[in-house]
Amino acid sequence: MRIATTIFLTDETVTPVRLARELEQRGFAGLYLPEHTHIPVSRRTPYPAGGDLPREYGRTLDPFVALGQAAAVTERIALGTGITLVAQHDPVDLAKQVATLDHLSGGRFTLGVGYGWNVEEAADHGVAWSTRRELARDRMALMRALWSGEPTAYEGEFGSVQASFAFPKPVQAPRGPVVGPRTLIGGGAGPKLFAAIADHADGWLPIGGRGLTESLPKLRAAWEEAGRDPKDLQVVPYAVLPDAGKLAHYAELGIEEVVLQLPPAGEREVLRVLDGYAAYL
């Protein structure tokens, strides 16, 4: 099982360069970074985990800039977003960022896609909350048009693009309906999410990894109903606090990669936690 990591990198934590080098030297499989452009102070949306919103949410580094630094000082580790709030981006710009990072890293990029939870943050990006899933789906389709091998036009409900020259291209070849880098969708189990995964992704990023025994058969059914090859489905439990029993359970379910949560801390504390996680490598 590949053991990757995720962390809220901020202006107060270990740096992307230092962390990426340590992960590669220690044999970890990857680094995934979350995204929040800003957190409105007057927000009304409750923190999904309960209690006060942690400080790091309003201080996160831009994941693409940080992962670009990580790519420049490593050769092997995977680099990903966990997750990119696609609805909050201009899709033409985002397609270029994603393709460039994937190209410069030699195809090491994973695009983790999510729909968000902070209504106020999304509103500042002009996102109507009730249609955010449809908007993200539309923007993903537009990006796939730009990543296609030949100039391809796209006309959607929320946006369009003319047939265009758009290089570089993501490294990975198209696979079924998926064009672009490895694409995983995050979110809670349910028919809407599983339909989206089967329609335009390589798999699922289940946050915390709970309830997989019950959820995986439903995801696999949606996947196969869409005509996808069962062996191609990837499930990557995300932001996991590990123990040996939990990882053994994932292995029994056929899971090949897990992403462990690191604390949003300085270098000394993060390296201490990595030392502990090394037992799972």
Side-chain angles (χ1 to χ4, degrees), residues 96-118:
K96 176 66 76 173
Q97 287 177 281
V98 167
T100 299
L101 181 53
D102 196 50
H103 168 74
L104 292 177
S105 66
R108 290 186 280 150
F109 182 64
T110 292
L111 177 62
V113 175
Y115 305 110
W117 60 268
N118 192 311

Side-chain angles (χ1 to χ4, degrees), residues 2 11 18-20 32 43 55 59-60 63 110 132 135 155 158 160 164 175 178 197 228 240 243 252 279:
R2 301 188 303 277
D11 55 327
R18 182 76 170 114
L19 177 57
Y32 291 75
R43 66 186 186 84
R55 174 183 178 88
R59 307 186 75 97
T60 54
T110 292
R132 71 192 187 284
L135 175 59
E155 183 72 37
F158 298 94
S160 62
S164 303
R175 51 234 174 260
V178 186
I197 292 169
R228 308 288 299 273
V240 170
D243 60 57
E252 290 172 358

Side-chain angles (χ1 to χ4, degrees), residues 165-236:
F165 298 111
F167 290 84
K169 301 296 184 185
V171 173
Q172 193 167 349
R175 51 234 174 260
V178 186
V179 178
R182 180 189 190 217
T183 301
L184 303 174
I185 302 181
K192 285 186 178 180
L193 183 80
F194 291 166
I197 292 169
D199 180 71
H200 58 267
D202 295 297
W204 183 25
L205 276 177
I207 308 301
R210 294 180 180 177
L212 289 179
T213 302
E214 296 77 24
S215 298
L216 282 181
K218 298 174 184 177
L219 172 57
R220 287 174 176 142
W223 183 267
E224 293 181 36
E225 186 177 341
R228 308 288 299 273
D229 190 328
K231 67 178 176 55
D232 293 337
L233 176 61
Q234 301 176 46
V235 177
V236 182

Side-chain angles (χ1 to χ4, degrees), residues 20-70:
R21 283 174 168 157
E22 288 289 338
L23 289 171
E24 185 152 282
Q25 289 170 6
R26 292 162 183 256
F28 286 89
L31 172 63
Y32 291 75
L33 299 180
E35 174 183 52
H36 284 285
T37 52
H38 67 301
I39 301 292
V41 173
S42 59
R43 66 186 186 84
R44 296 176 297 280
T45 310
Y47 176 43
D52 293 334
L53 184 68
R55 174 183 178 88
E56 61 266 20
Y57 277 75
R59 307 186 75 97
T60 54
L61 302 184
D62 178 277
F64 290 95
V65 175
L67 290 170
Q69 284 199 332

